Amino acid sequence: MKELLQEKDHVFLDFDGPVCDVFARLPAGEVADRLKRLVEPGLPAEVNASADPFDVLRYAASCGPNAAHIVERQLSRLEGEAVALISPAPGVEEVLREWRAQGFTVTIVSNNSVEAIRSFLGLHELAEHVRGISARTTSDPARLKPQPALLDAAVKALGTSPRRCVMVGDSIADVLAARAADVASIALAKTPSKRRALAALGPDALVGDLADLRSAG
Protein backbone atom coordinates (compact mmCIF):
# COMPACT_ATOMS: atom_id res chain seq x y z
CA MET A 1 0.00 0.00 0.00
CA LYS A 2 2.76 2.46 0.89
CA GLU A 3 4.58 1.74 -2.35
CA LEU A 4 1.34 2.20 -4.27
CA LEU A 5 0.66 5.63 -2.78
CA GLN A 6 4.24 6.76 -3.20
CA GLU A 7 3.79 6.31 -6.95
CA LYS A 8 0.72 8.58 -7.05
CA ASP A 9 -0.01 12.30 -6.97
CA HIS A 10 -3.79 12.30 -6.79
CA VAL A 11 -6.25 10.53 -4.49
CA PHE A 12 -9.84 9.97 -5.62
CA LEU A 13 -11.95 9.44 -2.51
CA ASP A 14 -15.48 8.09 -2.38
CA PHE A 15 -17.91 10.14 -0.28
CA ASP A 16 -20.58 7.85 1.20
CA GLY A 17 -18.66 5.57 3.54
CA PRO A 18 -15.12 6.94 3.71
CA VAL A 19 -16.08 10.58 4.39
CA CYS A 20 -19.45 10.09 6.07
CA ASP A 21 -22.45 7.79 6.31
CA VAL A 22 -24.84 9.75 4.10
CA PHE A 23 -28.05 7.98 5.09
CA ALA A 24 -27.25 7.36 8.76
CA ARG A 25 -30.05 9.64 10.02
CA LEU A 26 -32.34 9.68 6.99
CA PRO A 27 -32.28 5.98 6.06
CA ALA A 28 -31.67 4.94 2.48
CA GLY A 29 -34.79 2.77 2.58
CA GLU A 30 -36.94 5.77 3.48
CA VAL A 31 -35.35 7.81 0.70
CA ALA A 32 -35.96 4.98 -1.78
CA ASP A 33 -39.61 4.70 -0.73
CA ARG A 34 -40.13 8.44 -1.23
CA LEU A 35 -38.60 8.19 -4.70
CA LYS A 36 -40.77 5.20 -5.61
CA ARG A 37 -43.88 7.33 -5.15
CA LEU A 38 -42.73 9.46 -8.07
CA VAL A 39 -42.76 6.53 -10.53
CA GLU A 40 -45.64 4.41 -9.26
CA PRO A 41 -47.68 2.47 -10.27
CA GLY A 42 -46.25 -0.54 -12.02
CA LEU A 43 -42.88 -0.78 -10.26
CA PRO A 44 -41.09 -4.07 -10.96
CA ALA A 45 -41.01 -6.30 -7.90
CA GLU A 46 -37.24 -6.04 -7.48
CA VAL A 47 -37.36 -2.24 -7.54
CA ASN A 48 -40.34 -2.13 -5.19
CA ALA A 49 -38.43 -4.31 -2.71
CA SER A 50 -35.16 -2.37 -2.94
CA ALA A 51 -33.92 -0.05 -0.18
CA ASP A 52 -31.34 1.51 -2.54
CA PRO A 53 -32.30 4.95 -3.92
CA PHE A 54 -30.05 4.37 -6.91
CA ASP A 55 -32.09 1.33 -7.94
CA VAL A 56 -35.08 3.65 -8.18
CA LEU A 57 -33.07 6.18 -10.19
CA ARG A 58 -31.92 3.50 -12.62
CA TYR A 59 -35.52 2.33 -13.07
CA ALA A 60 -36.72 5.89 -13.60
CA ALA A 61 -34.07 6.34 -16.29
CA SER A 62 -35.45 3.28 -18.06
CA CYS A 63 -38.85 5.01 -18.12
CA GLY A 64 -37.50 8.05 -19.93
CA PRO A 65 -35.56 11.29 -19.38
CA ASN A 66 -38.44 13.17 -17.74
CA ALA A 67 -38.98 10.52 -15.06
CA ALA A 68 -35.24 10.28 -14.49
CA HIS A 69 -34.94 14.06 -14.07
CA ILE A 70 -37.78 14.21 -11.55
CA VAL A 71 -36.38 11.35 -9.47
CA GLU A 72 -32.82 12.66 -9.60
CA ARG A 73 -33.84 16.14 -8.45
CA GLN A 74 -35.79 14.71 -5.53
CA LEU A 75 -32.86 12.43 -4.67
CA SER A 76 -30.57 15.46 -4.64
CA ARG A 77 -32.90 17.29 -2.26
CA LEU A 78 -33.10 14.29 0.05
CA GLU A 79 -29.31 13.87 0.01
CA GLY A 80 -29.05 17.50 1.03
CA GLU A 81 -31.41 16.85 3.95
CA ALA A 82 -29.49 13.70 4.88
CA VAL A 83 -26.02 15.22 5.00
CA ALA A 84 -27.27 18.12 7.14
CA LEU A 85 -27.99 15.60 9.89
CA ILE A 86 -24.65 13.79 10.07
CA SER A 87 -21.01 14.29 11.03
CA PRO A 88 -17.78 13.29 9.25
CA ALA A 89 -16.48 9.77 9.70
CA PRO A 90 -14.06 9.49 12.63
CA GLY A 91 -10.55 10.49 11.62
CA VAL A 92 -11.36 11.63 8.09
CA GLU A 93 -10.29 15.22 8.72
CA GLU A 94 -6.90 14.08 10.00
CA VAL A 95 -6.37 11.86 6.98
CA LEU A 96 -7.32 14.63 4.56
CA ARG A 97 -5.06 17.10 6.32
CA GLU A 98 -2.14 14.67 6.22
CA TRP A 99 -2.63 13.83 2.55
CA ARG A 100 -2.64 17.52 1.75
CA ALA A 101 0.55 18.08 3.77
CA GLN A 102 2.21 15.23 1.87
CA GLY A 103 1.41 16.87 -1.45
CA PHE A 104 -1.49 14.72 -2.63
CA THR A 105 -4.48 16.36 -4.24
CA VAL A 106 -7.82 14.92 -3.14
CA THR A 107 -10.86 14.75 -5.38
CA ILE A 108 -14.17 13.45 -4.08
CA VAL A 109 -15.49 11.00 -6.68
CA SER A 110 -19.02 9.97 -5.80
CA ASN A 111 -22.42 8.93 -7.10
CA ASN A 112 -23.97 11.37 -4.64
CA SER A 113 -24.91 14.83 -5.84
CA VAL A 114 -22.34 17.58 -6.17
CA GLU A 115 -24.62 19.91 -4.20
CA ALA A 116 -24.87 17.60 -1.19
CA ILE A 117 -21.13 16.94 -1.13
CA ARG A 118 -20.22 20.61 -1.43
CA SER A 119 -22.68 21.49 1.34
CA PHE A 120 -21.29 18.84 3.69
CA LEU A 121 -17.66 19.78 3.08
CA GLY A 122 -18.42 23.43 3.71
CA LEU A 123 -20.48 22.76 6.83
CA HIS A 124 -17.66 20.76 8.41
CA GLU A 125 -14.77 22.90 7.15
CA LEU A 126 -13.31 20.11 5.02
CA ALA A 127 -13.40 21.94 1.69
CA GLU A 128 -9.89 23.36 2.08
CA HIS A 129 -8.47 19.82 1.99
CA VAL A 130 -10.27 18.86 -1.23
CA ARG A 131 -9.12 19.98 -4.68
CA GLY A 132 -12.27 19.05 -6.56
CA ILE A 133 -15.54 17.14 -6.70
CA SER A 134 -16.44 14.75 -9.51
CA ALA A 135 -19.95 13.62 -8.65
CA ARG A 136 -23.51 13.34 -9.90
CA THR A 137 -24.75 16.27 -11.95
CA THR A 138 -27.18 14.48 -14.30
CA SER A 139 -29.92 11.89 -14.13
CA ASP A 140 -28.04 9.49 -16.41
CA PRO A 141 -27.00 6.35 -14.48
CA ALA A 142 -24.41 5.60 -17.17
CA ARG A 143 -22.42 8.54 -15.78
CA LEU A 144 -22.19 6.91 -12.35
CA LYS A 145 -19.90 4.27 -10.88
CA PRO A 146 -19.30 1.41 -11.68
CA GLN A 147 -18.96 3.13 -15.06
CA PRO A 148 -15.69 5.11 -15.34
CA ALA A 149 -17.13 8.52 -16.35
CA LEU A 150 -16.66 10.26 -12.98
CA LEU A 151 -13.07 9.06 -12.69
CA ASP A 152 -12.33 9.99 -16.28
CA ALA A 153 -13.69 13.49 -15.59
CA ALA A 154 -11.52 13.81 -12.48
CA VAL A 155 -8.40 12.79 -14.39
CA LYS A 156 -9.19 15.31 -17.13
CA ALA A 157 -9.87 18.11 -14.63
CA LEU A 158 -6.49 17.56 -13.04
CA GLY A 159 -4.70 17.48 -16.39
CA THR A 160 -2.99 14.26 -15.39
CA SER A 161 -2.97 10.60 -16.41
CA PRO A 162 -4.77 7.65 -14.78
CA ARG A 163 -1.47 6.11 -13.67
CA ARG A 164 -0.85 9.10 -11.35
CA CYS A 165 -4.16 8.52 -9.54
CA VAL A 166 -5.59 6.08 -7.02
CA MET A 167 -9.24 5.49 -6.09
CA VAL A 168 -10.09 4.87 -2.42
CA GLY A 169 -13.57 3.50 -1.84
CA ASP A 170 -15.61 0.99 0.11
CA SER A 171 -17.84 -0.46 -2.58
CA ILE A 172 -17.70 -2.91 -5.44
CA ALA A 173 -18.63 -0.02 -7.75
CA ASP A 174 -15.52 1.90 -6.69
CA VAL A 175 -13.18 -0.96 -7.56
CA LEU A 176 -14.91 -1.69 -10.87
CA ALA A 177 -14.97 1.98 -11.89
CA ALA A 178 -11.29 2.35 -11.08
CA ARG A 179 -10.45 -0.69 -13.19
CA ALA A 180 -12.51 0.63 -16.10
CA ALA A 181 -10.74 4.00 -15.87
CA ASP A 182 -7.30 2.36 -15.62
CA VAL A 183 -6.84 3.86 -12.16
CA ALA A 184 -5.34 1.93 -9.23
CA SER A 185 -7.72 1.08 -6.40
CA ILE A 186 -7.51 0.82 -2.62
CA ALA A 187 -10.55 -0.92 -1.18
CA LEU A 188 -11.78 0.08 2.25
CA ALA A 189 -13.44 -2.83 4.06
CA LYS A 190 -14.52 -2.38 7.68
CA THR A 191 -16.34 -5.71 8.06
CA PRO A 192 -15.32 -9.31 7.27
CA SER A 193 -18.13 -9.72 4.74
CA LYS A 194 -17.15 -6.57 2.88
CA ARG A 195 -13.51 -7.59 3.00
CA ARG A 196 -14.36 -10.89 1.33
CA ALA A 197 -16.51 -9.22 -1.32
CA LEU A 198 -13.93 -6.56 -2.19
CA ALA A 199 -10.93 -8.89 -2.00
CA ALA A 200 -12.60 -11.11 -4.59
CA LEU A 201 -12.36 -8.24 -7.10
CA GLY A 202 -8.58 -7.99 -6.76
CA PRO A 203 -8.08 -4.33 -5.82
CA ASP A 204 -4.50 -3.08 -5.78
CA ALA A 205 -4.65 -2.80 -1.97
CA LEU A 206 -7.14 -3.54 0.79
CA VAL A 207 -7.37 -1.74 4.15
CA GLY A 208 -9.66 -2.00 7.15
CA ASP A 209 -9.84 1.69 8.02
CA LEU A 210 -9.17 5.01 6.33
CA ALA A 211 -6.70 5.78 9.12
CA ASP A 212 -4.53 2.96 7.77
CA LEU A 213 -3.68 5.30 4.90
CA ARG A 214 -2.19 7.94 7.16
CA SER A 215 1.56 8.44 6.79
CA ALA A 216 1.51 6.07 3.83
CA GLY A 217 2.75 8.52 1.26
Side-chain angles (χ1 to χ4, degrees):
M1 181 187 67
K2 288 185 177 182
E3 291 177 358
L4 176 64
L5 278 177
Q6 286 169 356
E7 297 171 352
K8 310 302 178 184
D9 299 317
H10 311 286
V11 177
F12 296 164
L13 182 62
D14 186 32
F15 183 66
D16 187 11
V19 176
C20 63
D21 184 352
V22 170
F23 297 113
R25 300 288 299 277
L26 179 58
E30 180 179 335
V31 172
D33 287 343
R34 290 167 70 174
L35 297 179
K36 291 170 193 175
R37 298 183 194 123
L38 300 175
V39 287
E40 291 177 332
L43 280 173
E46 64 272 15
V47 177
N48 193 46
S50 176
D52 185 345
F54 288 94
D55 285 342
V56 186
L57 177 60
R58 282 186 283 269
Y59 171 72
S62 75
C63 297
N66 188 53
H69 176 75
I70 291 170
V71 169
E72 193 281 326
R73 285 296 83 198
Q74 178 69 347
L75 176 56
S76 293
R77 285 191 286 271
L78 293 171
E79 286 171 332
E81 291 180 24
V83 299
L85 301 173
I86 59 173
S87 299
V92 68
E93 182 177 2
E94 291 77 11
V95 173
L96 290 174
R97 185 183 297 113
E98 189 161 313
W99 281 345
R100 185 184 179 197
Q102 292 171 351
F104 293 109
T105 73
V106 177
T107 300
I108 301 296
V109 178
S110 171
N111 286 351
N112 297 114
S113 72
V114 166
E115 297 99 324
I117 295 167
R118 186 176 291 122
S119 173
F120 182 85
L121 295 178
L123 180 64
H124 296 283
E125 299 182 349
L126 298 175
E128 65 179 301
H129 305 302
V130 173
R131 169 71 70 86
I133 300 171
S134 183
R136 194 180 79 248
T137 58
T138 78
S139 58
D140 183 3
R143 301 289 302 172
L144 304 179
K145 296 177 289 184
Q147 301 305 316
L150 293 174
L151 282 80
D152 291 341
V155 170
K156 183 177 180 180
L158 289 165
T160 188
S161 66
R163 65 184 182 85
R164 304 306 307 170
C165 307
V166 60
M167 177 77 214
V168 179
D170 69 341
S171 73
I172 289 173
D174 291 316
V175 178
L176 294 179
R179 183 172 299 149
D182 201 24
V183 169
S185 61
I186 297 177
L188 176 62
K190 296 184 178 182
T191 66
S193 60
K194 180 160 281 191
R195 188 176 187 87
R196 288 192 294 270
L198 293 177
L201 298 175
D204 295 280
L206 184 65
V207 296
D209 193 279
L210 194 64
D212 294 339
L213 298 176
R214 293 186 67 182
S215 302

